[in-house]
Amino acid sequence: MIVETVSNQLVWSSEQGFWVLTPKTKQTVPLTIAASRGYTDCARHLIQQGAELDARVGGRAALHEACTQAQSDCVRLLLTFGTKANVLSEEGMSPLHLCTAPESLQCAKLLVEEGAIVNLAARDSEVTPLHVAAASGLEQHVALYLGRGANVSLCNSKGETALNAAACAAAHGPGGSRRHQAVVRRLLEAGADARAAGRKCHTPLHNACANGSSDLAELLLRHGACAGVPNGAGHTPMDCALQAVRETPNLEPEILFTVLLDYGARPVHPEMLKLCANFPRALEVLLNAYPFIPSCTTWVGSVLPELWQEHKAFYSSALSMVNQPRRLQHLARLAVRAQLGRRCREATHHLPLPPLLRDYLLLCVESQIQ
């Protein structure tokens, strides 16, 4: 179907699954403009001249826009003159939902002091202010809401808690986002369930592994996350970590792989080794999780020629050990690790072992297979 519009004031937009024509020009009022730009004197004058405080012309009230732009002085002014701290936008969002920047902390404090509900769920998404702050990596906002009784167990429309939101939004890269790790730590200390999964059975650990965040993954595992649980598609956290290797080549996947194996993850299917074949350190960690080196036909062909030459000693050592018995020392290592299970990393540091032997037990990289 071809629709030709006569007016250039209309644009196509997607609303609730339907493509509709909506006005291009956004409607607003002077008070909303003044509040969003921090013009406190102008806003005061407009209010004194009778401007309606909670008018939602264009979908949002002045308080919404002031919070969006982190204009704390205007937020204070509006609240002083009696605007409602829980006024909802046409989208069903409260002003607290729109405190999404670090600079908006003072706005959030003013709102909760005036009775803003920290557990208020948005109409459609059902996210709470805690969900929003967690996804934005705002540790101080999270601490504020938790101190005001925010419920860490509340779920959004996708069945996800604030912990899921924080882990999902964590930045890519080794160690992940420090801000999101701090948020996750706060939530876990407040009693958030590290195993809580959304409707697709995707846990915070799945999200951390999909982002390649080893530090965040270890934090979740220390608080009870399960390294072997599959999501709705049947993928384990290790599967997500392997996929992240291909999508984010600048990671150090061997660190994440070691963390998962130390907390009870099972060795990957040999067919999956091809996903990390061009990361010799990561490949070594995974190969050392087997009692013998499996057939290499699945991953050898995936190694780039220049990489093979650069790490020829390692790849050659792996090839020479295919279907050959491993050293008794390696088999003893696997036996100890199996006995310790998901306590391997923590328990190993309490064993009276020399540092070299402790590192060996924890699958340290040696750049060769023996």
Side-chain angles (χ1 to χ4, degrees):
M1 180 179 65
I2 300 176
V3 178
E4 182 179 356
T5 58
V6 176
S7 172
N8 62 3
Q9 297 301 312
L10 298 176
V11 295
W12 289 103
S13 65
S14 177
E15 296 183 5
Q16 298 181 357
F18 298 96
W19 284 98
V20 297
L21 283 169
T22 57
K24 182 185 298 185
T25 303
K26 298 297 182 181
Q27 295 180 329
T28 186
V29 292
L31 179 59
T32 297
I33 296 174
S36 68
R37 299 182 181 179
Y39 299 155
T40 309
D41 291 340
C42 292
R44 180 182 293 107
H45 177 73
L46 290 168
I47 294 172
Q48 291 172 343
Q49 295 302 312
E52 187 177 347
L53 289 171
D54 296 328
R56 298 183 301 175
V57 178
R60 291 183 178 181
L63 187 58
H64 291 112
E65 296 298 343
C67 290
T68 300
Q69 301 300 324
Q71 302 292 353
S72 58
D73 289 340
C74 286
V75 169
R76 182 183 289 107
L77 175 71
L78 292 167
L79 292 172
T80 300
F81 275 93
T83 191
K84 299 175 183 177
N86 293 304
V87 59
L88 296 180
S89 67
E90 289 185 358
E91 301 168 333
M93 305 280 280
S94 72
L96 210 55
H97 284 102
L98 302 175
C99 294
T100 58
E103 298 79 15
S104 66
L105 178 60
Q106 185 59 34
C107 298
K109 289 180 178 179
L110 292 169
L111 288 169
V112 295
E113 288 172 1
E114 291 297 322
I117 302 173
V118 295
N119 288 320
L120 183 64
R123 184 176 61 236
D124 296 325
S125 63
E126 298 181 25
V127 298
T128 66
L130 187 62
H131 281 92
V132 175
S136 302
L138 303 178
E139 180 188 5
Q140 296 305 313
H141 288 66
V142 169
L144 172 66
Y145 302 156
L146 291 174
R148 295 285 180 158
N151 187 346
V152 296
S153 299
L154 292 180
C155 296
N156 60 18
S157 59
K158 297 180 180 179
E160 297 174 338
T161 65
L163 185 61
N164 291 94
C168 183
H172 291 273
S177 165
R178 292 186 178 181
R179 292 191 300 118
H180 285 90
Q181 287 180 44
V183 166
V184 168
R185 187 175 290 107
R186 288 266 189 183
L187 293 171
L188 291 170
E189 291 172 353
D193 184 3
R195 299 191 179 199
R199 290 180 181 173
K200 295 183 179 180
C201 300
H202 215 62
T203 67
L205 183 59
H206 283 94
N207 289 325
C209 291
N211 287 333
S213 178
S214 55
D215 289 347
L216 183 53
E218 185 171 1
L219 178 61
L220 291 165
L221 287 162
R222 285 205 310 266
H223 284 81
C226 182
V229 62
N231 61 15
H235 299 150
T236 66
M238 181 67 84
D239 295 329
C240 294
L242 280 165
Q243 190 63 39
V245 172
R246 174 171 291 183
E247 297 176 354
T248 313
N250 294 325
L251 299 178
E252 296 176 345
E254 66 275 9
I255 299 176
L256 180 54
F257 293 166
T258 304
V259 168
L260 291 170
L261 291 169
D262 286 347
Y263 279 90
R266 297 181 63 82
V268 302
H269 191 281
E271 291 285 342
M272 301 292 287
L273 294 174
K274 61 184 178 183
L275 296 177
C276 64
N278 289 305
F279 296 81
R281 294 172 64 86
L283 181 62
E284 179 182 343
V285 169
L286 295 182
L287 289 176
N288 279 331
Y290 299 97
F292 60 89
I293 302 301
S295 175
C296 59
T297 56
T298 58
W299 59 264
V300 168
S302 301
V303 181
L304 298 173
E306 59 272 22
L307 198 63
W308 186 284
Q309 289 300 319
E310 182 181 353
H311 300 277
K312 187 174 181 179
F314 165 72
Y315 287 119
S316 297
S317 69
L319 282 176
S320 66
M321 292 299 296
V322 171
N323 293 326
Q324 298 296 315
R326 296 293 298 270
R327 297 169 61 184
L328 182 59
Q329 180 176 321
H330 172 71
L331 298 179
R333 167 169 63 178
L334 293 185
V336 173
R337 291 177 60 85
Q339 182 66 30
L340 296 176
R342 70 179 313 274
R343 300 171 298 147
C344 184
R345 175 161 293 208
E346 180 181 359
T348 298
H349 290 287
H350 293 286
L351 295 176
L353 299 174
L356 288 178
L357 187 55
R358 182 181 298 112
D359 291 342
Y360 179 77
L361 187 59
L362 292 175
L363 302 178
C364 66
V365 175
E366 298 177 319
S367 298
Q368 63 178 334
I369 298 293
Q370 299 181 4

